[in-house]
Every structure is written in C-alpha cells, then in structure tokens.
Amino acid sequence: MKKASIFFMVILLMIGISAFVYSGGKKEAAGKKYAGQTIRVLFMSATYAEAARDIAKDFQAKTGAKVEVIDFPYVTLHEKELLGLTSGAGSYDVISIAAQWDGEFSPWLVDLEKYIKRDNWDTSDIMESVWQNSGKWQGKIMGIPHSNTPRLLSYRTDLIKKFPRTWDEFMAIARKLNNPSKGFYAFAIPGQKSQLSGQFFEPLWSLGGSWADKNWNITIDSPETRKALEIVKEEMSLADPAASAWGIPEASAAFLQGNAAFCLAWPTLGVTINGDNPDKSKVVGKWALADYPFGKTGLTVLSSWDLGIPSDSKHKDAAWDFIKTYTSADNQMKFFKKYTILSPRKSFWETEALKKSKLYPHKEASDRGTNIWWRIPAGTAALGVMRDAVSSYATGQWGLEKTVKYMENGLKKVLKDNPPAKGIKNTNR
C-alpha cells in the first residue's frame, strides 16, 4: 500500500512537471499583468529600433508582454505610420513619431495625460523646450520625447584649430582644405534628396530666414533663402562627386576614413559611434563636434522623436508601460552609452558622463534649437517641396530664381490644399 502511494505521487509530480514544460512556463507568466499579450512597437530603423530590441526581453520578463519591434527607414516611416493610424486595424501599440508629424498624427493618438496623472509619472525631468517641439500639440500630450538631437557637424581638429563663426569664414576654410587631386574633400555630405535639404535649412535659419511668418504668409522669397541655396550648392561642389548618391552611412564612412575635413551628416548616426574606434576610424582623437556657423540667430535644426499610443491599440496599458520603460532615466543612459542616443531628460545632461563627453556641445544647441518643420498636416508635403527644390538647385538642374519661385508656389499650394486649423499659428519660423 505504501509503495502504491509513492508510485501515484511520483506520477502526479511528473504530470505537473510535464504540464509546466509543455506550457512553456506560462504558469509563471500567468501571474504577470500582461501575460499573453504581444505589443507591436514601430521605430525608425537603426539605433532607436535596436534600443527597443535591447529592452524587449527584460520588459517581457517583468510584465509578461512580448514585444515585437518593427522598423522602417526614415524615407518610408511616415507612410507606414500614417497608414497604420488611419486604417483602424490596430496595427501598432506604440509608434515613434518625428516631431514634424505630431500635428498630423495627433487625431489618431491617445492623450497620455490620464496615464501620467494615474501613475504620477514625473514630467519635470523632461526639457520643456524639447517637449513643446515634440509630443505636445494643441494642449494635448500625444507623445513622450525619447530622443532630442540638434544638428551639429563633425570636423577634423588636426586641420581646423579655430572653428569659424560666420558662414563666409566657414566656406573660406572649406575652399582652402579641399584637395580632390589627393582624394580629399572639404565636405562629406549626405547628398540624397531626403537628406540634402537639411544642409539648406541650417544656413537659412541661422541667417534669419523662414518658410512663413506666424500667420502662414509665405516668406521664402528672401535674400536669406538665396544665400542659403548658394551655400549648399557650393558645399556639394566641395564634396566627393559621388556624394549626390550618399546617405548618412556613406558620408559618415568617408569622414571616418579620413577623406574629408567636415562631415555634414547627423553625428550621432555614425561619427560619434565609431569615431574613436581604431577598427572603424582613421581619425581617432582627431575629431570633434561643433555648431554650424552662428549666423544671425544661432538656431540649428532640431530632430526630436516622441513615443505615442495609437487610439486603436488593443493593449494601451502595456504600451504605456513600454513607453515608461524606454524613456526611463536608466535606459536612456544605457542607450547613450551603446548608441549615443541623446535623451531629452534634464538629469541626463547633468551627469559627469555627459559633461565629459564629446557630445556635450548638443546641450547648448538644444537650448537654441528649433523644430523648423511645420507640425501641421501640410508639413510633410511642404518638406517635399523644399527637398525637390534644394536637390534640383544644388545638383545644377535648376537656376536660383526658378528654385525660389518653385519653393514659393509650392508652399502656397500645400497650405491652400490643406490649410492649418483655425487658431493655429506658425511657431516654427
């Protein structure tokens, strides 16, 4: 009888173990608040998406929710996000939004204020100057900023001892250093249409130019526009002839191989990651970051991204917890150390690691930076007009006056086709 009891106990134990193994540990996961849920999060390809993958397993271990990370390159991300938002299919639970899309996407995004209040989530650590440009729209908190990068440039410290303050000085140094006969150029520049317009926006804004005034009257036909166009065209003439086909990776690589004096690609997407890695760089210890020439205003182009929750998400609570996890101070520091992603948190910039970093010049530029793109539904089409015009002029296809007239007529048309809502002023000018 005793042996029979032991036998049955062993059988029951084996059944229990088999059931647990068969369930893949679901018994343990069942006690976690999001057990069985899968959230789909959408990011721009490269560092932001990789950072999301880095925390996905830990997030699942803590909450029970599996994280599926989807990514697309910048040139197609807007289209994918807009389609996902407007389809009503609940395609994504979290999306990473470029600040210039905030106003366009806002109607399909959850107002996060109720979650912030419910969890008493600390908003005071987010740089207010950033949040006003990225994540807040018309009184609604539709995104939490997760990356804030004012555009700086990289330059060779062994060749340029004193960085120029004016555009005239900047271009004079570039002409002097340019030496095509030796395969060395003044600029490593991302000349693809999707990136080249940024090189026009830098001088335009710093010289005091604008697309439109606060009431949306188009102001692009100006001396500042003409000078900015001439600058970007000359930059292309002082770059590798292949640069018209380059994106950020190719421009960054050219600079890292020692083939240019300045790199005009976003530094955090290439140069700062590998600049002091002897396996990938020939300019170790010979590079630094700087503001573009101050000009009249000192303004620089600001790239900001925020995380929002689509209204048709089926897992809003899990999505909010993922946003809190991704934007936490600890993870933001991890992302910086691994990918040089810059956080919009005040505390981030107060750490010794940042103060001693080559990336610290971003701090002052952040305080002056502005989101130059219109954050209204017409903004994407307006940017397309500017990209077409800048590319056509810089590559010699169009003359100066044709380019300016195309910009003016194009901006007027996109505002006519999709006018700003009543009461919305142009704050990005």
Side-chain angles (χ1 to χ4, degrees), residues 127-204:
M127 298 166 69
E128 189 60 29
S129 60
V130 174
W131 213 348
Q132 290 299 334
N133 278 292
S134 178
K136 289 184 177 181
W137 179 255
Q138 297 297 295
K140 176 180 179 179
I141 300 177
M142 37 72 63
I144 303 299
H146 71 84
S147 175
N148 171 63
T149 312
R151 187 193 285 270
L152 301 184
L153 55 77
S154 312
Y155 73 99
R156 289 279 296 275
T157 54
D158 57 328
L159 302 176
I160 303 154
K161 301 302 181 183
K162 184 179 179 181
F163 199 85
R165 184 174 175 82
T166 71
W167 284 98
D168 289 341
E169 293 171 349
F170 179 69
M171 297 308 296
I173 290 174
R175 294 182 203 111
K176 184 177 179 180
L177 293 174
N178 196 54
N179 194 347
S181 64
K182 293 187 176 181
F184 187 84
Y185 299 90
F187 299 112
I189 184 170
Q192 289 178 346
K193 185 189 295 187
S194 62
Q195 292 293 329
L196 184 60
S197 55
Q199 311 311 322
F200 162 72
F201 298 144
E202 286 295 343
L204 176 68

Coordinates of all heavy atoms in Angstrom, one line a residue, residues 127-204:
M127 N 13.0 68.1 -20.7 CA 13.3 69.5 -21.1 C 12.1 70.1 -21.7 O 11.6 69.7 -22.8 CB 14.5 69.5 -22.0 CG 15.8 69.0 -21.4 SD 17.1 68.6 -22.7 CE 17.5 70.3 -23.2
E128 N 11.6 71.2 -21.1 CA 10.3 71.8 -21.6 C 10.5 72.3 -23.0 O 9.6 72.2 -23.8 CB 9.9 72.9 -20.7 CG 8.5 73.4 -21.0 CD 7.4 72.4 -20.9 OE1 7.6 71.4 -20.1 OE2 6.4 72.5 -21.6
S129 N 11.7 72.9 -23.3 CA 11.9 73.4 -24.7 C 11.8 72.3 -25.7 O 11.4 72.5 -26.9 CB 13.3 74.1 -24.8 OG 14.3 73.1 -24.5
V130 N 12.1 71.1 -25.3 CA 12.0 69.9 -26.2 C 10.6 69.5 -26.3 O 10.0 69.3 -27.4 CB 12.9 68.8 -25.8 CG1 12.7 67.5 -26.6 CG2 14.4 69.1 -25.8
W131 N 9.9 69.4 -25.2 CA 8.5 68.8 -25.2 C 7.6 69.7 -26.0 O 6.6 69.3 -26.6 CB 8.1 68.7 -23.7 CG 7.1 67.5 -23.6 CD1 6.5 66.8 -24.6 CD2 6.7 66.9 -22.4 NE1 5.8 65.8 -24.0 CE2 5.9 65.8 -22.7 CE3 7.0 67.2 -21.0 CZ2 5.2 65.0 -21.7 CZ3 6.4 66.4 -20.1 CH2 5.5 65.3 -20.4
Q132 N 7.8 71.0 -25.9 CA 7.0 71.9 -26.7 C 7.1 71.7 -28.2 O 6.2 72.0 -29.0 CB 7.3 73.4 -26.3 CG 6.9 73.8 -24.9 CD 5.4 73.6 -24.7 OE1 4.5 73.7 -25.6 NE2 5.0 73.4 -23.4
N133 N 8.3 71.2 -28.6 CA 8.5 70.9 -30.0 C 8.2 69.5 -30.4 O 8.2 69.1 -31.6 CB 10.0 71.2 -30.4 CG 10.2 72.7 -30.6 OD1 9.7 73.2 -31.6 ND2 10.9 73.4 -29.7
S134 N 8.0 68.6 -29.4 CA 7.9 67.2 -29.7 C 7.1 66.5 -28.7 O 7.6 66.3 -27.5 CB 9.3 66.6 -29.7 OG 9.3 65.2 -30.0
G135 N 5.9 66.2 -29.0 CA 5.0 65.4 -28.1 C 3.8 66.2 -27.6 O 2.8 65.5 -27.2
K136 N 3.9 67.5 -27.6 CA 2.7 68.3 -27.1 C 2.1 69.0 -28.4 O 2.9 69.6 -29.1 CB 3.1 69.3 -26.1 CG 3.4 68.7 -24.7 CD 3.7 69.8 -23.7 CE 4.0 69.2 -22.3 NZ 4.3 70.2 -21.3
W137 N 0.8 68.9 -28.5 CA 0.2 69.6 -29.6 C -1.2 70.1 -29.3 O -2.0 69.3 -28.9 CB 0.1 68.6 -30.8 CG -0.5 69.2 -32.0 CD1 -1.8 69.0 -32.5 CD2 0.0 70.2 -32.9 NE1 -2.1 69.7 -33.6 CE2 -0.9 70.5 -33.9 CE3 1.3 70.8 -33.0 CZ2 -0.7 71.4 -34.9 CZ3 1.5 71.7 -34.0 CH2 0.5 72.0 -35.0
Q138 N -1.4 71.4 -29.4 CA -2.7 72.0 -29.1 C -3.3 71.5 -27.8 O -4.5 71.1 -27.7 CB -3.6 71.7 -30.3 CG -3.2 72.2 -31.6 CD -3.1 73.8 -31.6 OE1 -4.2 74.4 -31.5 NE2 -2.0 74.3 -31.8
G139 N -2.5 71.6 -26.7 CA -3.0 71.3 -25.4 C -3.0 69.8 -25.1 O -3.5 69.4 -24.0
K140 N -2.6 69.0 -26.0 CA -2.7 67.5 -25.9 C -1.3 66.9 -25.7 O -0.4 67.3 -26.5 CB -3.4 66.9 -27.1 CG -3.4 65.4 -27.1 CD -4.2 64.9 -28.4 CE -4.2 63.4 -28.5 NZ -5.0 63.0 -29.7
I141 N -1.1 66.0 -24.8 CA 0.2 65.3 -24.7 C 0.0 64.0 -25.5 O -0.6 63.0 -25.0 CB 0.6 65.0 -23.2 CG1 0.7 66.3 -22.4 CG2 1.8 64.1 -23.2 CD1 1.0 66.1 -21.0
M142 N 0.5 64.0 -26.7 CA 0.3 62.8 -27.6 C 1.6 62.0 -27.7 O 1.6 61.0 -28.5 CB -0.3 63.2 -28.9 CG 0.2 64.5 -29.5 SD 1.9 64.5 -30.1 CE 1.8 63.3 -31.4
G143 N 2.6 62.4 -27.0 CA 3.9 61.7 -27.1 C 4.8 62.0 -26.0 O 4.8 63.2 -25.5
I144 N 5.7 61.1 -25.6 CA 6.7 61.3 -24.6 C 8.0 61.4 -25.4 O 8.4 60.4 -26.1 CB 6.8 60.2 -23.6 CG1 5.4 60.0 -22.9 CG2 7.9 60.5 -22.6 CD1 5.0 61.3 -22.1
P145 N 8.8 62.5 -25.4 CA 10.0 62.6 -26.1 C 11.0 61.5 -25.7 O 11.1 61.2 -24.5 CB 10.6 64.0 -25.7 CG 9.3 64.8 -25.3 CD 8.4 63.8 -24.6
H146 N 11.7 60.9 -26.6 CA 12.6 59.8 -26.3 C 14.0 60.1 -26.9 O 15.0 59.4 -26.6 CB 12.1 58.5 -26.7 CG 12.1 58.2 -28.2 ND1 13.2 57.8 -28.9 CD2 11.1 58.3 -29.1 CE1 12.8 57.6 -30.2 NE2 11.6 58.0 -30.4
S147 N 14.1 61.1 -27.8 CA 15.4 61.4 -28.4 C 15.4 62.9 -28.8 O 14.4 63.3 -29.4 CB 15.8 60.5 -29.6 OG 17.0 60.9 -30.2
N148 N 16.4 63.6 -28.6 CA 16.5 65.0 -29.0 C 17.9 65.3 -29.5 O 18.9 65.3 -28.7 CB 16.2 65.9 -27.7 CG 16.4 67.3 -28.0 OD1 15.8 67.9 -28.9 ND2 17.4 67.9 -27.3
T149 N 18.0 65.6 -30.8 CA 19.3 65.8 -31.4 C 19.3 67.1 -32.2 O 18.8 67.1 -33.3 CB 19.7 64.6 -32.2 OG1 19.5 63.4 -31.5 CG2 21.2 64.7 -32.6
P150 N 19.9 68.2 -31.7 CA 20.1 69.3 -32.6 C 21.2 68.9 -33.6 O 22.2 68.2 -33.2 CB 20.6 70.4 -31.6 CG 21.2 69.6 -30.5 CD 20.4 68.4 -30.4
R151 N 21.1 69.4 -34.8 CA 22.1 69.1 -35.8 C 23.4 69.8 -35.6 O 23.5 71.1 -35.5 CB 21.6 69.4 -37.2 CG 22.5 68.9 -38.3 CD 22.2 69.5 -39.6 NE 21.0 69.0 -40.2 CZ 21.0 67.9 -41.0 NH1 22.1 67.3 -41.3 NH2 19.9 67.5 -41.6
L152 N 24.5 69.0 -35.3 CA 25.8 69.6 -35.3 C 26.6 69.0 -36.4 O 26.1 68.1 -37.2 CB 26.5 69.2 -34.0 CG 25.8 69.7 -32.7 CD1 26.7 69.3 -31.5 CD2 25.6 71.2 -32.7
L153 N 27.8 69.4 -36.6 CA 28.7 68.8 -37.6 C 30.0 68.3 -37.0 O 30.3 68.7 -35.9 CB 29.0 69.8 -38.8 CG 29.6 71.1 -38.5 CD1 31.1 71.0 -38.2 CD2 29.4 72.0 -39.7
S154 N 30.6 67.4 -37.7 CA 31.9 66.8 -37.2 C 33.0 67.5 -38.0 O 32.8 67.8 -39.2 CB 31.9 65.3 -37.4 OG 30.8 64.7 -36.9
Y155 N 34.1 67.7 -37.4 CA 35.3 68.3 -38.1 C 36.6 67.8 -37.6 O 36.7 67.2 -36.5 CB 35.2 69.9 -38.0 CG 35.6 70.4 -36.6 CD1 36.9 70.9 -36.4 CD2 34.7 70.5 -35.6 CE1 37.2 71.4 -35.2 CE2 35.0 71.0 -34.3 CZ 36.3 71.5 -34.1 OH 36.7 72.0 -32.9
R156 N 37.6 68.0 -38.4 CA 39.0 67.5 -38.1 C 39.7 68.5 -37.2 O 40.0 69.6 -37.7 CB 39.7 67.2 -39.4 CG 39.2 66.0 -40.2 CD 39.8 64.7 -39.6 NE 41.2 64.7 -39.7 CZ 41.8 64.3 -40.8 NH1 41.2 63.9 -41.9 NH2 43.2 64.3 -40.9
T157 N 40.0 68.1 -36.0 CA 40.7 69.1 -35.1 C 42.1 69.3 -35.5 O 42.7 70.3 -35.1 CB 40.6 68.6 -33.7 OG1 41.1 67.2 -33.6 CG2 39.1 68.6 -33.2
D158 N 42.7 68.3 -36.2 CA 44.1 68.5 -36.6 C 44.3 69.5 -37.8 O 45.4 70.0 -38.1 CB 44.8 67.1 -37.0 CG 44.0 66.4 -38.0 OD1 42.8 66.6 -38.1 OD2 44.6 65.7 -38.8
L159 N 43.2 69.7 -38.5 CA 43.2 70.6 -39.6 C 42.6 72.0 -39.3 O 42.9 73.0 -40.0 CB 42.5 70.0 -40.8 CG 43.0 68.6 -41.3 CD1 42.1 68.1 -42.4 CD2 44.4 68.7 -41.7
I160 N 41.7 72.0 -38.4 CA 40.9 73.2 -38.1 C 41.1 73.6 -36.6 O 40.5 72.9 -35.7 CB 39.4 73.1 -38.4 CG1 39.3 72.7 -39.9 CG2 38.6 74.3 -38.1 CD1 38.0 71.9 -40.2
K161 N 41.9 74.5 -36.3 CA 42.2 74.9 -34.9 C 41.2 75.8 -34.3 O 40.9 75.6 -33.1 CB 43.6 75.5 -34.9 CG 44.7 74.7 -35.4 CD 44.9 73.3 -34.7 CE 46.0 72.5 -35.3 NZ 46.1 71.2 -34.6
K162 N 40.6 76.7 -35.1 CA 39.6 77.6 -34.5 C 38.4 77.5 -35.4 O 38.5 77.8 -36.6 CB 40.1 79.0 -34.5 CG 39.2 80.0 -33.9 CD 39.7 81.4 -33.9 CE 38.7 82.4 -33.3 NZ 39.3 83.8 -33.3
F163 N 37.3 77.0 -34.8 CA 36.1 76.8 -35.7 C 35.5 78.2 -36.1 O 35.3 79.1 -35.2 CB 35.1 76.0 -34.9 CG 34.1 75.3 -35.9 CD1 34.4 74.2 -36.5 CD2 32.9 76.0 -36.1 CE1 33.4 73.6 -37.4 CE2 32.0 75.4 -37.0 CZ 32.3 74.2 -37.6
P164 N 35.1 78.3 -37.3 CA 34.6 79.6 -37.8 C 33.2 79.9 -37.3 O 32.4 79.0 -37.1 CB 34.5 79.4 -39.3 CG 34.4 77.9 -39.5 CD 35.2 77.3 -38.4
R165 N 32.9 81.2 -37.1 CA 31.6 81.6 -36.5 C 30.7 82.1 -37.6 O 29.5 81.9 -37.5 CB 31.9 82.7 -35.5 CG 30.6 83.2 -34.8 CD 30.9 84.2 -33.7 NE 29.7 84.8 -33.1 CZ 29.0 84.2 -32.2 NH1 29.4 83.0 -31.7 NH2 28.0 84.8 -31.6
T166 N 31.2 82.6 -38.7 CA 30.3 83.0 -39.8 C 30.4 82.1 -41.0 O 31.3 81.3 -41.1 CB 30.8 84.4 -40.3 OG1 32.0 84.3 -41.0 CG2 31.0 85.4 -39.1
W167 N 29.3 82.2 -41.8 CA 29.3 81.3 -43.0 C 30.4 81.6 -44.0 O 30.9 80.8 -44.7 CB 27.9 81.4 -43.6 CG 26.9 80.6 -42.8 CD1 26.0 81.1 -41.9 CD2 26.7 79.2 -42.9 NE1 25.2 80.1 -41.4 CE2 25.6 78.9 -41.9 CE3 27.2 78.2 -43.6 CZ2 25.2 77.6 -41.7 CZ3 26.8 76.9 -43.3 CH2 25.8 76.6 -42.4
D168 N 30.7 82.9 -44.1 CA 31.7 83.3 -45.0 C 33.1 82.7 -44.6 O 33.8 82.2 -45.5 CB 31.9 84.8 -45.1 CG 30.7 85.4 -45.8 OD1 30.0 84.7 -46.6 OD2 30.4 86.7 -45.7
E169 N 33.4 82.7 -43.3 CA 34.6 82.1 -42.8 C 34.6 80.6 -43.0 O 35.6 80.0 -43.4 CB 34.8 82.5 -41.3 CG 35.1 83.9 -41.1 CD 35.0 84.3 -39.6 OE1 34.5 83.4 -38.8 OE2 35.4 85.4 -39.2
F170 N 33.5 80.0 -42.8 CA 33.3 78.6 -42.9 C 33.6 78.1 -44.3 O 34.4 77.2 -44.5 CB 31.9 78.2 -42.5 CG 31.5 76.8 -42.6 CD1 32.1 75.8 -41.7 CD2 30.6 76.3 -43.5 CE1 31.7 74.5 -41.8 CE2 30.3 75.0 -43.6 CZ 30.8 74.1 -42.7
M171 N 33.0 78.8 -45.3 CA 33.2 78.4 -46.7 C 34.7 78.7 -47.1 O 35.2 78.0 -48.0 CB 32.2 79.1 -47.6 CG 30.8 78.7 -47.3 SD 30.4 76.9 -47.2 CE 30.8 76.5 -48.9
A172 N 35.3 79.8 -46.6 CA 36.7 80.1 -47.0 C 37.6 79.0 -46.5 O 38.5 78.6 -47.3 CB 37.1 81.4 -46.4
I173 N 37.4 78.5 -45.3 CA 38.2 77.3 -44.8 C 38.0 76.1 -45.7 O 38.9 75.4 -46.0 CB 37.9 77.1 -43.3 CG1 38.4 78.2 -42.4 CG2 38.5 75.7 -42.9 CD1 38.0 78.1 -41.0
A174 N 36.8 75.9 -46.0 CA 36.4 74.7 -46.8 C 37.1 74.7 -48.2 O 37.7 73.7 -48.6 CB 34.9 74.6 -47.0
R175 N 37.1 75.9 -48.8 CA 37.8 76.0 -50.1 C 39.3 75.7 -50.0 O 39.9 75.1 -50.8 CB 37.6 77.4 -50.7 CG 36.2 77.7 -51.0 CD 36.0 79.1 -51.6 NE 34.6 79.6 -51.5 CZ 34.3 80.6 -50.7 NH1 35.2 81.2 -50.0 NH2 33.0 81.0 -50.6
K176 N 39.9 76.2 -48.9 CA 41.3 76.1 -48.7 C 41.7 74.6 -48.5 O 42.8 74.2 -49.0 CB 41.7 76.9 -47.5 CG 43.2 76.9 -47.2 CD 43.6 77.8 -46.1 CE 45.1 77.8 -45.8 NZ 45.4 78.7 -44.6
L177 N 40.9 73.9 -47.8 CA 41.2 72.5 -47.4 C 40.8 71.5 -48.5 O 41.4 70.4 -48.6 CB 40.5 72.1 -46.1 CG 40.9 72.8 -44.9 CD1 40.0 72.4 -43.7 CD2 42.4 72.4 -44.5
N178 N 40.0 71.9 -49.4 CA 39.5 70.9 -50.5 C 40.7 70.6 -51.4 O 41.4 71.5 -51.9 CB 38.4 71.6 -51.3 CG 37.6 70.6 -52.1 OD1 37.1 69.6 -51.6 ND2 37.5 70.9 -53.4
N179 N 40.9 69.3 -51.6 CA 42.0 68.8 -52.4 C 41.7 67.6 -53.2 O 42.1 66.5 -52.9 CB 43.3 68.6 -51.6 CG 44.6 68.5 -52.4 OD1 44.5 68.3 -53.6 ND2 45.7 68.5 -51.7
P180 N 40.8 67.7 -54.2 CA 40.4 66.5 -54.9 C 41.5 65.7 -55.6 O 41.4 64.4 -55.7 CB 39.5 67.1 -56.0 CG 39.1 68.4 -55.5 CD 40.2 68.9 -54.7
S181 N 42.6 66.3 -55.9 CA 43.7 65.6 -56.6 C 44.3 64.5 -55.7 O 44.9 63.5 -56.1 CB 44.8 66.5 -57.0 OG 45.4 67.2 -55.9
K182 N 44.1 64.7 -54.4 CA 44.6 63.7 -53.4 C 43.5 62.9 -52.8 O 43.6 62.2 -51.8 CB 45.4 64.4 -52.3 CG 46.7 65.0 -52.8 CD 47.6 65.5 -51.7 CE 48.9 66.1 -52.2 NZ 49.8 66.6 -51.1
G183 N 42.3 63.0 -53.4 CA 41.1 62.2 -52.9 C 40.6 62.8 -51.5 O 40.0 62.1 -50.8
F184 N 40.9 64.1 -51.3 CA 40.5 64.7 -50.0 C 39.6 65.9 -50.3 O 39.9 66.7 -51.2 CB 41.7 65.2 -49.2 CG 41.3 65.7 -47.8 CD1 41.2 64.8 -46.8 CD2 41.1 67.0 -47.6 CE1 40.9 65.2 -45.5 CE2 40.8 67.5 -46.3 CZ 40.6 66.6 -45.3
Y185 N 38.4 65.9 -49.6 CA 37.4 66.9 -49.9 C 37.1 67.7 -48.6 O 37.3 67.3 -47.5 CB 36.2 66.3 -50.4 CG 36.4 65.5 -51.7 CD1 36.8 64.2 -51.7 CD2 36.3 66.2 -53.0 CE1 37.0 63.5 -52.9 CE2 36.6 65.5 -54.1 CZ 36.9 64.2 -54.1 OH 37.2 63.5 -55.3
A186 N 36.6 68.9 -48.9 CA 36.2 69.7 -47.7 C 35.0 69.1 -46.9 O 35.0 69.0 -45.7 CB 35.7 71.1 -48.2
F187 N 34.0 68.5 -47.7 CA 32.8 68.0 -47.1 C 32.5 66.5 -47.4 O 32.7 66.1 -48.5 CB 31.6 68.8 -47.5 CG 31.7 70.3 -47.1 CD1 31.9 71.3 -48.1 CD2 31.7 70.7 -45.8 CE1 32.0 72.6 -47.8 CE2 31.7 72.0 -45.5 CZ 31.9 73.0 -46.5
A188 N 32.2 65.8 -46.4 CA 31.5 64.5 -46.5 C 30.0 64.8 -46.3 O 29.6 65.2 -45.2 CB 32.0 63.5 -45.5
I189 N 29.2 64.7 -47.3 CA 27.8 65.2 -47.2 C 26.8 64.2 -47.7 O 27.1 63.6 -48.7 CB 27.7 66.6 -48.0 CG1 26.3 67.2 -47.9 CG2 28.1 66.3 -49.5 CD1 26.2 68.6 -48.5
P190 N 25.7 64.0 -47.0 CA 24.7 63.1 -47.5 C 23.9 63.8 -48.5 O 23.0 64.7 -48.2 CB 23.9 62.8 -46.2 CG 24.1 63.9 -45.3 CD 25.5 64.5 -45.6
G191 N 24.2 63.6 -49.8 CA 23.6 64.3 -50.9 C 22.3 63.8 -51.4 O 21.7 64.4 -52.4
Q192 N 21.8 62.7 -50.9 CA 20.5 62.2 -51.3 C 19.4 63.2 -51.0 O 19.5 64.0 -50.1 CB 20.1 60.9 -50.6 CG 20.9 59.7 -51.0 CD 20.5 58.5 -50.2 OE1 19.9 58.6 -49.1 NE2 21.0 57.3 -50.6
K193 N 18.4 63.3 -51.9 CA 17.3 64.3 -51.7 C 16.7 64.3 -50.3 O 16.4 65.4 -49.8 CB 16.2 64.0 -52.8 CG 15.1 65.1 -52.7 CD 14.0 64.7 -53.6 CE 14.3 64.6 -55.1 NZ 13.1 64.4 -55.9
S194 N 16.6 63.1 -49.7 CA 15.9 63.1 -48.4 C 16.7 63.7 -47.3 O 16.2 64.0 -46.2 CB 15.6 61.6 -48.0 OG 16.8 60.9 -47.9
Q195 N 18.0 63.9 -47.5 CA 18.9 64.4 -46.5 C 19.5 65.8 -46.9 O 19.8 66.6 -46.0 CB 20.1 63.5 -46.3 CG 19.7 62.2 -45.6 CD 19.2 62.4 -44.2 OE1 19.6 63.3 -43.5 NE2 18.3 61.5 -43.8
L196 N 19.7 66.1 -48.2 CA 20.4 67.3 -48.6 C 19.7 68.5 -48.2 O 20.4 69.5 -47.9 CB 20.5 67.3 -50.1 CG 21.3 68.4 -50.7 CD1 22.8 68.4 -50.2 CD2 21.3 68.3 -52.2
S197 N 18.4 68.6 -48.1 CA 17.7 69.8 -47.7 C 18.1 70.3 -46.3 O 18.0 71.5 -46.1 CB 16.2 69.6 -47.8 OG 15.8 68.5 -47.0
G198 N 18.5 69.4 -45.5 CA 18.9 69.8 -44.2 C 20.1 70.7 -44.2 O 20.3 71.6 -43.3
Q199 N 21.0 70.6 -45.2 CA 22.1 71.4 -45.4 C 21.7 72.9 -45.8 O 22.4 73.8 -45.6 CB 23.1 70.9 -46.4 CG 23.5 69.4 -46.1 CD 23.8 69.1 -44.7 OE1 24.5 69.9 -44.0 NE2 23.4 67.9 -44.2
F200 N 20.5 73.0 -46.4 CA 20.0 74.3 -46.8 C 19.3 74.9 -45.6 O 19.4 76.1 -45.3 CB 19.0 74.1 -47.9 CG 18.0 75.3 -48.1 CD1 18.5 76.5 -48.6 CD2 16.7 75.1 -47.7 CE1 17.6 77.5 -48.7 CE2 15.8 76.2 -47.9 CZ 16.2 77.4 -48.4
F201 N 18.6 74.1 -44.8 CA 17.9 74.7 -43.6 C 18.8 75.3 -42.6 O 18.5 76.3 -41.9 CB 17.0 73.6 -42.9 CG 16.0 73.0 -43.8 CD1 15.6 71.6 -43.8 CD2 15.3 73.8 -44.7 CE1 14.7 71.1 -44.6 CE2 14.3 73.3 -45.6 CZ 14.0 71.9 -45.5
E202 N 20.0 74.7 -42.4 CA 20.9 75.2 -41.4 C 21.3 76.7 -41.7 O 21.1 77.5 -40.8 CB 22.2 74.4 -41.4 CG 22.1 73.0 -40.7 CD 21.7 73.2 -39.2 OE1 21.9 74.2 -38.7 OE2 21.2 72.2 -38.7
P203 N 21.8 77.0 -42.9 CA 22.1 78.5 -43.1 C 20.8 79.3 -43.1 O 20.8 80.5 -42.7 CB 22.9 78.5 -44.4 CG 22.5 77.2 -45.1 CD 22.3 76.2 -44.0
L204 N 19.7 78.8 -43.7 CA 18.5 79.6 -43.8 C 18.1 80.1 -42.4 O 17.8 81.2 -42.2 CB 17.4 78.7 -44.4 CG 16.0 79.4 -44.5 CD1 16.1 80.6 -45.5 CD2 14.9 78.4 -44.9

